[in-house]
Amino acid sequence: MELQGKIIAVLPERSGESARGAWKTQDFVLETHDAYPKKMVFNVFGAERLERFNIQAGQEVLVSFDIDAHEYQGRWYNTVRAFDVRSAVSAPMSTDAPMPAATPGAPAAPSASAAPFPAGTVSDNSSDDLPF
């Protein structure tokens, strides 16, 4: 899965020692640019990934991540683990952006509000039993 947004918080790095050796992890908070912005906490595990991604607060990023859940003492917890974080150089796509002006001689693009059939008419495929 992928999500684009702005890093609004960089949480403290955690590290430790396990049977397999030293480990490092850090959590980040991303906010989307939707009409109703959403926030997501994601985790980057591994010193080499933390160094390679070099995530900074205020940075616009595209995060590729996996979601997994685990059980602990009868309760379930989600983990959102990023496996790739890239800088998003282009501005986010906006659905209310104006359409580019048509060039002379080019066919006009249909408007988004244009219905495929005028109101009160039926398509030529009236043999289906669909309720809509």
Side-chain angles (χ1 to χ4, degrees):
M1 302 175 101
E2 287 188 336
L3 194 60
Q4 181 175 336
K6 181 178 181 180
I7 300 296
I8 59 170
V10 177
L11 302 176
E13 187 177 278
R14 297 182 314 247
S15 61
E17 191 75 30
S18 72
R20 294 189 227 181
W23 56 268
K24 223 181 245 193
T25 186
Q26 190 167 11
D27 292 335
F28 302 89
V29 182
L30 176 126
E31 183 175 52
T32 66
H33 299 293
D34 298 329
Y36 299 101
K38 307 260 188 284
K39 294 178 182 75
M40 175 183 77
V41 176
F42 67 93
N43 174 272
V44 175
F45 187 86
E48 66 285 344
R49 283 189 178 151
L50 285 167
E51 187 177 315
R52 182 171 32 123
F53 299 157
N54 191 24
I55 303 168
Q56 305 295 320
Q59 185 179 11
E60 188 70 27
V61 294
L62 179 65
V63 179
S64 300
F65 59 92
D66 288 325
I67 300 174
D68 195 20
H70 63 278
E71 184 265 337
Y72 178 71
Q73 295 182 350
R75 295 194 62 191
W76 285 87
Y77 300 90
N78 287 321
T79 302
V80 179
R81 175 121 340 132
F83 59 86
D84 191 24
V85 179
R86 289 171 276 151
S87 179
V89 290
S90 63
M93 295 287 293
S94 175
T95 57
D96 53 2
M99 295 282 289
T103 56
S111 69
S113 63
F117 302 102
T121 63
V122 180
S123 73
D124 54 25
N125 187 9
S126 59
S127 64
D128 61 19
D129 328 301
L130 295 176
F132 48 87

